[in-house]
Amino acid sequence: DAQLKRREREMQETVDIYNQNVVDLEEKLNQSEKAKEKLQAQVNKLQSNLDDLNDEKLKLRSDVASLRQKYDNACYELDSLREQQQQRGGEAEQGRSNRHMRETIQRYTRTIADLEGKLEEEASTKAELQDRLASARSELEDKQKYTEELLQRQNKSSRQLESDLSNMKFEKEELQAKLD
């Protein structure tokens, strides 16, 4: 009878340990899922930022192309004005026109340089976001692997405890049969 009570106490302790392990593993799984969701949100945000940067980069390229076209047009106008001035022979007027065209060309040149600088900044930001996105994806994959490992360990532990519990029940029945 004492042996039977000892075995029952051992079985109850085993079940309590099993239950505590299940609770602990469920808590770890919940934490892992929350971390996974957070990482996925970060990945989505980084992807959105990257898409926005790509859109802005395309716009900047379009602006640069437009300004280059305007610059080419201004150069063509300058050449045309020079030809007209040479035909008229008015040097004073030509000087004013030349100054005006030089100023216009300088403004276009500065604007193009500014836009090219912005384009370079955007390219740098894009590269940084791509690195962060790759890092977040890698971290997410690691969390997924860890979650899978926890599940496998929990399943293995559950099967072992169920097997132990079954064996203990069998031993209890044998002891009970011997006592009877």
Side-chain angles (χ1 to χ4, degrees), residues 110-165:
R110 281 192 298 268
T111 303
I112 289 171
D114 289 344
L115 286 173
E116 286 175 342
K118 287 180 182 179
L119 191 60
E120 288 177 18
E121 286 178 27
E122 294 299 326
S124 173
T125 303
K126 178 183 175 182
E128 179 184 326
L129 284 174
Q130 286 174 331
D131 289 346
R132 289 173 55 195
L133 181 61
S135 175
R137 283 182 176 153
S138 174
E139 191 174 336
L140 180 61
E141 289 171 2
D142 291 345
K143 291 288 184 183
Q144 287 172 331
K145 287 178 185 175
Y146 177 71
T147 301
E148 289 172 9
E149 289 174 8
L150 281 176
L151 283 172
Q152 289 173 354
R153 278 191 248 148
Q154 180 185 10
N155 288 339
K156 183 178 178 182
S157 175
S158 295
R159 284 190 302 271
Q160 181 62 42
L161 286 171
E162 287 171 358
S163 172
D164 290 349
L165 183 60

Side-chain angles (χ1 to χ4, degrees), residues 82 84-99 102:
R82 282 184 184 155
Q84 289 175 4
Q85 290 301 322
Q86 287 174 355
Q87 290 174 358
R88 287 191 214 153
E91 292 180 17
E93 194 174 312
Q94 182 182 6
R96 280 182 296 199
S97 178
N98 285 345
R99 264 195 316 277
R102 271 188 247 120

Side-chain angles (χ1 to χ4, degrees), residues 15-50:
V15 169
D16 290 345
I17 291 171
Y18 170 77
N19 288 335
Q20 185 60 44
N21 286 343
V22 168
V23 168
D24 291 345
L25 285 172
E26 286 175 348
E27 185 177 309
K28 286 180 183 178
L29 283 172
N30 287 336
Q31 290 172 352
S32 178
E33 281 298 316
K34 287 178 184 176
K36 181 179 166 184
E37 289 172 4
K38 184 178 177 181
L39 282 172
Q40 188 62 47
Q42 288 175 344
V43 167
N44 292 341
K45 183 179 178 184
L46 288 172
Q47 186 64 49
S48 174
N49 289 345
L50 190 58

Side-chain angles (χ1 to χ4, degrees), residues 34-83:
K34 287 178 184 176
K36 181 179 166 184
E37 289 172 4
K38 184 178 177 181
L39 282 172
Q40 188 62 47
Q42 288 175 344
V43 167
N44 292 341
K45 183 179 178 184
L46 288 172
Q47 186 64 49
S48 174
N49 289 345
L50 190 58
D51 292 342
D52 292 344
L53 281 174
N54 282 334
D55 292 344
E56 191 170 332
K57 181 178 174 182
L58 290 173
K59 184 183 178 301
L60 285 173
R61 284 189 179 173
S62 174
D63 290 348
V64 167
S66 173
L67 286 172
R68 282 188 178 147
Q69 181 63 41
K70 288 179 182 179
Y71 174 78
D72 290 343
N73 291 342
C75 288
Y76 177 75
E77 285 180 39
L78 180 61
D79 290 342
S80 296
L81 285 174
R82 282 184 184 155
E83 286 178 19

